[in-house]
Amino acid sequence: MTATDGRAGGMPPGGRAGAATAASRDDLGDRVLTLPNALSVLRLLGVPVFLWLLLGPHADGWAIVVLAVAGFTDWADGKLARALGQSSRLGALLDPAADRLYIIATLVAFVLRDVVPLWVVGVLVGREVVLGGTLLALHRAGWPPLQVHYLGKAATFLLLYAFPLLLLADGENPVAAVARPIANALTVWGGVLYLLAGVLYVVQAVGLIRGARFAGGAS
């Protein structure tokens, strides 16, 4: 069996362990009009609104509300997909895309407003650039995007809680003094887990690509 045959049949090339994560995305349905997908689209539509609230009228309170709704829908769409049996390939792509857009949009807005230093944004956006290259390499090797790692979900959870606290901490009032250490702690832990999840994603992708090349050379 060639590497291409293995991918078409849902099997890892050369029988390599760990490729089930990639193949499992192929087992998802092709449905588009589902409640979880609608929630993911709603979350995506909130990104430009969130940016405008932060950079336009500086309506931080409403921006926090949008971010809170995004965090709730991020939790709800996964729960509903499993409970209703509506997991889909589109949903598996929309969910992490929305998470990343919120994180990048927030970081860009925070830099423009001097809430966080530029190097923090450089590190986290650099992670996204590396993952983008990894996705292209996976596609060229015939693999679909990998499932989101639980560390990535945990990192997103921490960062989405850290961001509104960073807004609250941007001041010289008693609320800012209380929010600042909590916001900084969540940002550090979320950022570390976010980078670690990216490293694990790249490691897993490299294993799949090398396995495909090994199987192709041995066939």
Side-chain angles (χ1 to χ4, degrees):
M1 177 181 291
T2 65
T4 304
D5 294 332
R7 289 192 289 274
M11 294 177 59
R16 287 181 62 88
T21 303
S24 64
R25 197 182 290 254
D26 281 341
D27 297 332
L28 299 176
D30 292 322
R31 297 180 63 184
V32 173
L33 300 177
T34 67
L35 182 56
N37 287 350
L39 289 176
S40 294
V41 171
L42 176 64
R43 192 157 76 256
L44 282 169
L45 293 176
V47 174
V49 176
F50 177 69
L51 264 179
W52 176 76
L53 289 170
L54 284 178
L55 300 178
H58 285 202
D60 294 349
W62 285 110
I64 290 174
V65 170
V66 173
L67 201 59
V69 171
F72 174 76
T73 57
D74 185 32
W75 169 83
D77 62 14
K79 291 288 186 182
L80 288 172
R82 290 186 291 271
L84 301 177
Q86 293 183 346
S87 298
S88 65
R89 296 180 187 178
L90 177 62
L93 293 174
L94 288 178
D95 188 46
D99 291 342
R100 288 171 180 169
L101 279 176
Y102 267 103
I103 289 172
I104 292 174
T106 304
L107 290 171
V108 169
F110 280 4
V111 166
L112 294 176
R113 289 185 49 178
D114 295 323
V115 176
V116 296
L118 182 59
W119 67 266
V120 173
V121 178
V123 170
L124 296 183
V125 172
R127 181 249 198 204
E128 297 304 318
V129 172
V130 171
L131 286 191
T134 303
L135 286 171
L136 288 176
L138 281 170
H139 179 72
R140 291 184 62 183
W143 289 106
L146 304 181
Q147 294 280 15
V148 177
H149 197 276
Y150 75 92
L151 283 180
K153 297 300 290 184
T156 300
F157 178 82
L158 289 173
L159 291 174
L160 288 180
Y161 270 89
F163 291 156
L165 288 173
L166 285 171
L167 284 176
L168 291 176
D170 187 27
E172 299 298 334
N173 53 68
V175 173
V178 173
R180 191 170 296 115
I182 302 173
N184 290 338
L186 290 177
T187 301
V188 169
W189 280 107
V192 169
L193 289 180
Y194 201 62
L195 292 176
L196 180 58
V199 170
L200 292 176
Y201 193 101
V202 172
V203 168
Q204 187 178 8
V206 169
L208 291 175
I209 294 169
R210 285 182 176 175
R213 289 174 179 172
F214 176 79
S219 62

